Amino acid sequence: MKQQGVHPEDAESTSDASSRPGTTNAGKKDNGDSDGGKKDEAKKGAETSDAGRKAVEGKAAYDLEEAHVDEVEGDEPLLPARVHRPSDLMRLLVGVLGIALLLAIAAFAHGTTSGLEQDINKGTGQAPDVFSKMAGLVSSIAILLVPVAFAIERLIKRDGLRIADGVLAAVLAHGVTLATDLWVARAAPDSIRDALTQPSPGDVGSLTDPVHGYLAPVIAYMTAVGMSRRPRWRAVLWAVLVLYAFSMLVTGYTTPFSILLTLLIGWAVAYGTLYAVGSPNVRPTGRTLMAGLRHVGFRPVSAAREEVSDTQETTTDRGRRYFVTLEDGPPLDVTVVDREQQAQGFFYRAWRNLTLRGFATRSSLQSLRQALEQEALLAYAAIAAGANAPKLIATSELGPDAVMLVYEHTGGRTLDSLPDEEITDDLLHGTWRQVKALQSRRIAHRRLVGDAILVDRSGKVIITDLRIGEIAANNLLLRMDISQLLVTLGLRVGAERAVASAVSVLGPDAVADCLPMLQPIALSRSTRATLRRLARERAQREREAVLEASRQAKHARSEETGDDAGPALDKPDKKTVRAQARAEKRAIDDALEEAREEDLLTQIRHEVLRIRPQAPVEPARLERVRPRTLISFIAGAIAAYFLLTQLTHIEFGPLIANAQWGWVAAAVLFSAASYLAAAMALLGFVPERVPFRRTVAAQVAGSFVKIVAPAAVGGVALNTRFLQRAGVRPGLAVASVGASQLFGLGCHILMLLAFGYLTGTEKTPSLSPSRTVIAGLLTVAVLVLVVTSVPFLRKFVVTRVRSLFAGVVPRMLDVLQRPQKLVTGIGGMLLLTACFVMCLDASIRAFGSQGTSISLASVAVVFLAGNALGSAAPTPGGVGAVDVTLTVGLIAVGLPSEVAAPSVLLFRMLTLWLPVLPGWLAFNHLTRKGAL
């Protein structure tokens, strides 16, 4: 394998040449369609080479080479002058995290910071006085001269943009230091102020600056201009910084934490500025590629860049690909990987590495050298395993920020570009044979999607895009490859053909073993996007079928009513109305059943189970940390911190001794009564007969479910499942729960407005609404106007409302025909809200004295607002959101914090935490009885 680097100066010169007017450097790649093929492409390359030789006939060899450099086909998209590097953003986040950690240590470890300062002051105080003065003089001069000298050096080399970036970063850093000094002086805790300042030696009665107002800008400037990437300048920089810090500590004008905070602020502001304005783009162009090919011994004539869509350009990290013709020999396929292209999907890979177990994507911080070596190793390993893969013949560096990999030209078309009629069974079998060859040597491809599978003119399958693969792969990765390819082929030819071809090559056992991996999280990013799009299309077809069936039923009913009505136009009796409603429901259910389609993953499972009924179907747990768990942990930590800060000022001994236990008992009774009210609120929207006691038990079981799922999700799923087990048809069960939720939302909003109005008028002689209520109504009106004026939001809301009305409204019409059911449902909702409000009020009275109680209307407003936020929060049981909202709300309406915090704690204990054990028992009981 040839391997040779291009000198950075050569790369810069070719890059400069590409920026001259009239020179372009890429084009369209021949994907090897029916008119292509290696012979035609070689012929084309020979013709182009002959034309080039005629054009420069009679000139010197040097002129000949320069002429070839200018012969580049097509138009390559113009490169942006600046790019936003994810590495700069990561350094900014690290800097912000370091600042937060430093302030936390200063705030909570006051003894440690004081001892550290004393030790440092004692040690530096022993330095000779002459040395300290000399160090201070030299560092003060050098801290200003070094940046100026570097700026002059950059200006001489015509790199003024970097100097402008550095100046901008210095100005921003100066502003941040001023804001930090103001915050420390006026609002910071005493412990932080003590850690960052000390009495000024030169001014009695004043303190030193928490952050050095000219050191932070200097650090930001030198970081932004890239001084740290030049070894000599970096050494000078660190020497000056150490000398300056030493002199300031010796003279007593700063503290160690002040020095560290200044360094972190300058560093973070510099990288924040670089990410915001972008860094100069050093991505190699097509001309740089041509020069690199000459350095490894090839004689290229032209290069044409493979066309990619805008989506692929921003989401893929496989590198830019070129088709290169040579003066002599067959053409080449060249892949160029630079730092910007490698950074595509950085945060996605980092998230996958954090949340998935043991099989995540390649390292998020992989260097260019590591990427080159990995792809080269996989290319050789795939060919050694007997798979058809592109042959790697050379690698090279293209300057300091890019590498290239040179392959023999394979030609062919991707599986995605093939028409359906050309995807034969032989082609499917050939694809699986390539995967079998890879897996025989335990090579995992990791991205078996349509554009990674090529088919040449003879029908031979070629596996490409091995860059993110893995050698010595474990069984988990190998099974994931099988499941990924099953889905990729299933999207083109259907589940039956995809499974049949896999079984014929790999055997039924190998295919059956991949079923636990057949889940969206184990598939590639593009495949998941395709499956989500197909799911939306299926849901849209189901909605359209339901709406059409509803329209036809209503039309038939209107015709029947019009035909049966006599001259007197008598209204139909109740039996006729009920019969028509039942017929309409049957028609809707039948249409929904006919329109319902299984998703592709379910179809593949059924096909595999038809061959191997004993195959494992339980999905493997692949997530290490779920997003919901992470959000719950963060919200819980915030809530715990908030509550602990409130509870630290409360003396629980006297508070519990003086608690009114009668009100505590009343709060317990109101909490227990809420389950009866919840059962009434559900059964009021279910025309079918459902046992009341078992419904109450289901609501108790919901106390356990909402701990492991968000409040707006867990209860809905449990009630829907319970109604289905109780004999209600699935569609009707979903509609009943949806109707209950919809009606409950309306009641919640009306009660919130009503109690808010009463709260605003209870202290005024007239019934004029408060400014808060008016502001809330205006905010809602503005949100409605925004939603209706923005097309995307309007379409989103209309789609959801249509799907809601398709099933819920007919169910509401059924309930309206039974007034006793409607009264039960409405009464249950009102009673449920009343129970919670009274429970919160009793909790307040249990800890409050006679003069600290608040009105019932204020308690109702606080509870309704907290409950609404808890339903919207993605945390189980609204943990964190509800606790903070209730506490802040009670304090806002006039309750002392020493009463509000324990009252909310008691309320949440009675309504959330204590019912968990009874809920778990009820859940297990109903599960054993087959009710869940």
Side-chain angles (χ1 to χ4, degrees), residues 658-699:
N658 298 327
Q660 303 181 37
W661 294 101
W663 284 111
V664 174
V668 173
L669 292 178
F670 286 127
S671 177
S674 65
Y675 297 102
L676 301 175
M680 294 173 56
L682 176 62
L683 294 181
F685 295 91
V686 183
E688 293 81 4
R689 183 176 180 83
V690 179
F692 181 76
R693 293 178 58 185
R694 185 162 288 186
T695 306
V696 174
Q699 305 313 302

Side-chain angles (χ1 to χ4, degrees), residues 433-727:
R433 280 193 288 270
Q434 301 309 309
V435 175
K436 183 177 182 180
L438 292 176
Q439 298 209 347
S440 66
R441 300 294 177 87
R442 307 198 69 81
I443 300 174
H445 187 281
R446 306 294 301 278
R447 193 179 172 273
L448 286 171
V449 295
D451 60 1
I453 301 171
L454 290 181
V455 182
D456 64 7
R457 293 185 60 186
S458 63
K460 184 176 68 173
V461 177
I462 302 171
I463 300 296
T464 66
D465 203 9
L466 288 160
R467 183 181 175 198
I468 63 173
E470 187 169 330
I471 62 172
N474 55 36
N475 291 329
L476 194 68
L477 293 176
L478 299 180
R479 287 185 291 166
M480 283 178 60
D481 269 0
I482 297 176
S483 62
Q484 172 64 63
L485 188 55
L486 279 174
V487 178
T488 299
L489 298 180
L491 290 172
R492 295 302 312 273
V493 301
E496 183 177 357
R497 289 183 61 190
V499 173
S501 60
V503 171
S504 64
V505 176
L506 303 179
D509 293 333
V511 178
D513 289 341
C514 79
L515 283 188
M517 302 295 109
L518 201 63
Q519 47 185 307
I521 194 174
L523 304 177
S524 69
R525 195 176 187 179
S526 59
T527 304
R528 294 200 303 272
T530 303
L531 293 177
R532 286 194 297 267
R533 177 179 57 81
L534 295 177
R536 290 194 296 268
E537 294 176 356
R538 287 196 306 272
Q540 181 63 27
R541 288 193 294 269
E542 292 178 2
R543 286 193 294 267
E544 292 175 354
V546 170
L547 292 174
E548 180 63 26
S550 178
R551 283 194 294 266
Q552 292 179 359
K554 290 179 181 179
H555 181 69
R557 183 171 59 185
S558 63
E559 289 183 350
E560 182 180 351
T561 304
D563 295 339
D564 294 342
L569 298 177
D570 295 334
K571 294 183 179 180
D573 56 8
K574 293 184 178 180
K575 291 185 178 180
T576 303
V577 173
R578 292 176 181 175
Q580 291 174 348
R582 287 194 294 269
E584 182 178 353
K585 287 190 297 183
R586 285 196 299 269
I588 292 175
D589 291 340
D590 293 341
L592 185 60
E593 290 295 332
E594 292 178 1
R596 183 173 287 115
E597 306 173 25
E598 289 184 338
D599 63 279
L600 178 62
L601 300 185
T602 303
Q603 295 177 24
I604 293 176
R605 290 190 190 96
H606 289 170
E607 291 296 330
V608 176
L609 291 175
R610 187 175 292 114
I611 299 172
R612 275 288 185 271
Q614 70 276 13
V617 295
E618 186 69 23
R621 184 176 178 183
L622 304 178
E623 291 178 295
R624 181 187 294 114
V625 179
R626 297 184 179 181
R628 184 182 67 197
T629 305
L630 187 60
I631 294 174
S632 301
F633 176 78
I634 295 174
I638 295 174
Y641 174 78
F642 179 83
L643 292 177
L644 287 176
T645 55
Q646 296 294 325
L647 296 177
T648 51
H649 304 289
I650 300 174
E651 297 181 2
F652 280 95
L655 186 68
I656 295 176
N658 298 327
Q660 303 181 37
W661 294 101
W663 284 111
V664 174
V668 173
L669 292 178
F670 286 127
S671 177
S674 65
Y675 297 102
L676 301 175
M680 294 173 56
L682 176 62
L683 294 181
F685 295 91
V686 183
E688 293 81 4
R689 183 176 180 83
V690 179
F692 181 76
R693 293 178 58 185
R694 185 162 288 186
T695 306
V696 174
Q699 305 313 302
V700 176
S703 301
F704 166 70
V705 174
K706 68 182 179 181
I707 291 296
V708 296
V713 177
V716 171
L718 183 136
N719 286 330
T720 302
R721 179 68 172 175
F722 169 72
L723 292 180
Q724 292 178 5
R725 288 291 189 176

Side-chain angles (χ1 to χ4, degrees), residues 365-425:
L365 301 176
Q366 192 179 41
S367 66
L368 282 173
R369 170 63 62 178
Q370 290 172 332
L372 183 146
E373 293 174 349
Q374 180 180 5
E375 185 167 352
L377 177 61
L378 285 164
Y380 290 130
I383 294 176
N388 298 328
K391 184 179 179 181
L392 181 67
I393 57 178
T395 62
S396 175
E397 293 181 350
L398 295 179
D401 297 313
V403 296
M404 72 174 180
L405 298 100
V406 183
Y407 294 93
E408 289 184 352
H409 179 63
T410 55
R413 292 172 292 172
T414 65
L415 183 67
D416 289 339
S417 64
L418 288 177
D420 293 339
E421 59 271 13
E422 293 188 21
I423 304 179
T424 62
D425 290 340

Side-chain angles (χ1 to χ4, degrees), residues 311-340:
T311 302
Q312 289 176 324
E313 182 72 23
T314 56
T315 58
T316 184
D317 61 347
R318 65 180 184 176
R320 288 173 292 131
R321 299 182 177 181
Y322 291 87
F323 171 74
V324 179
T325 56
L326 304 177
E327 290 185 7
D328 49 356
L332 305 173
D333 289 330
V334 181
T335 299
V336 177
V337 182
D338 55 61
R339 296 191 187 279
E340 303 308 322

